[in-house]
Amino acid sequence: MLNRREFLGLVGAVTAAAPAVLRGAQASEWGSPVLDLHFHVRPQPAANITHLDGAGITKANLLARAAASDQVRAVQAAAPDRFTWFCSADPSTPEGIEALTQAVKAGARGFGEMKYHLATDGPEFQRAYALAAELRVPILIHFQEVDHFPNEGTWSTGFAKNFERILKTYPKTTFIGHADAFWANVSADYRNEAAYPSGSIARGGITDKLLGDYPNLYGDVSANSGNNMLSRDPEFTADFVRRHQDKLLFGSDCSCADGRGSGVSQANNPAASRLAGKCVARETLTVLKRSASPEIFRKIAWSNALTLLKI
Ligand SMILES: [Zn+2]
Ligand SMILES: [Zn+2]
């Protein structure tokens, strides 16, 4: 028989060991470790860890404004080795450029998410592209031309028309594309008519072509935009993930509470109602798993990001 102290000691040991055991089990849920490239930092450190554990995710790359760097450090301290981070700041101001520079010196591994009402080929963004090359970090960009709610405005405008010239002009900058316009333009017939077009994909779209032609462009399949693109046309998706297996990066952009779909998964975005009540991370990992071989799944869910972020 255990006495009371021995019994409590045993309970304590089991409780303390549980999170590690749980993490191991959840990491293997997908058959590969997973890194979520696109995870907006949450104010409470525990809330960040809850989403990772709930969705079976090993590590996440926190996206944070420069002003939130204390939050980033608190999350990293709460779970050593599970979080890297990218910093975003407005490149149209000298303070923004300085904040990006200082963030990289303080450990940020990239710029992002860069989501501003600026033209993709405007002078402000071009300053950020040049700085990313100089500091040798990738830049993650939100491209969107169709409002999610009235008068939202456009973000990194001009992707389809002007971004190829940017890729040519900044060959030493590593770009990571994301969001509506980036993923809708995988289909050649897209003309900004909807945030999330549906139906089969017309081969030869601009994003597909750019991913194939430019070694300095990667794609972040997070959010409803990435999930929608991967879900439209299973035959196309299997071929697409095979052709771009070294260029695609898993990310969630999920804001659900628990990694299982409670709360709101795509905040501020009524157009993404198809993912209501679902965890975007789980939904997108499920599509990827269905569409890719285990080797390719592992690259997209894990190892491509490790290489790119120099982890
Ligand atoms: Zn975004
Ligand atoms: Zn989620």
Side-chain angles (χ1 to χ4, degrees), residues 4 34 64 77 95 123 128 171 203 232 234 257 267-269 298:
R4 181 178 154 78
V34 174
E95 297 77 32
R203 308 306 193 254
R232 288 174 63 180
N268 256 336
N269 188 359
R298 188 182 170 94

Side-chain angles (χ1 to χ4, degrees), residues 120-134:
T120 191
D121 61 345
E124 302 90 347
F125 259 128
Q126 292 202 44
R127 270 198 289 279
Y129 305 153
L131 183 64
E134 188 188 318

Side-chain angles (χ1 to χ4, degrees), residues 66-266:
S69 59
D70 286 349
Q71 273 177 36
V72 168
R73 270 182 274 281
V75 176
Q76 288 179 316
D81 297 332
R82 292 189 81 184
F83 295 96
T84 53
W85 68 294
F86 278 12
C87 176
S88 75
D90 185 345
S92 62
T93 68
E95 297 77 32
I97 292 293
E98 178 61 15
L100 290 167
T101 307
Q102 291 308 322
V104 170
K105 286 185 180 159
R109 289 172 196 251
F111 299 167
E113 123 179 61
M114 298 296 274
K115 181 175 181 180
Y116 296 98
H117 294 299
L118 298 168
T120 191
D121 61 345
E124 302 90 347
F125 259 128
Q126 292 202 44
R127 270 198 289 279
Y129 305 153
L131 183 64
E134 188 188 318
L135 298 175
R136 298 162 162 265
V137 291
I139 177 167
L140 166 57
I141 304 168
H142 179 109
F143 294 100
Q144 182 188 332
E145 313 251 346
V146 179
D147 288 357
H148 294 164
F149 49 84
N151 306 315
E152 181 183 2
T154 58
W155 310 90
S156 306
T157 322
F159 169 74
K161 194 158 156 270
N162 301 324
F163 195 63
E164 181 166 13
R165 195 166 55 76
I166 292 296
L167 290 168
K168 279 199 179 101
T169 308
Y170 296 93
K172 291 190 172 147
T173 304
T174 300
F175 295 90
I176 306 172
H178 144 83
D180 309 15
F182 189 79
W183 290 122
N185 278 295
V186 163
S187 192
D189 56 4
Y190 184 64
R191 301 288 178 271
N192 284 347
E193 61 274 31
Y196 307 114
S198 56
S200 63
I201 287 179
R203 308 306 193 254
I206 181 79
T207 303
D208 198 345
K209 183 176 175 306
L210 297 180
L211 283 168
D213 289 352
Y214 292 88
N216 56 331
L217 178 65
Y218 292 75
D220 154 8
V221 296
S222 66
N224 185 52
S225 55
N227 182 284
N228 182 62
M229 181 278 291
L230 293 168
S231 304
R232 288 174 63 180
D233 185 336
E235 199 186 316
F236 174 84
T237 299
D239 182 52
F240 182 80
V241 299
R242 187 186 51 72
R243 287 186 289 112
H244 300 305
Q245 59 183 277
D246 297 316
K247 301 300 250 355
L248 301 177
L249 305 155
F250 166 74
S252 75
D253 203 3
C254 189
S255 53
C256 90
D258 58 358
R260 299 187 174 276
S262 76
V264 180
S265 65
Q266 290 281 270

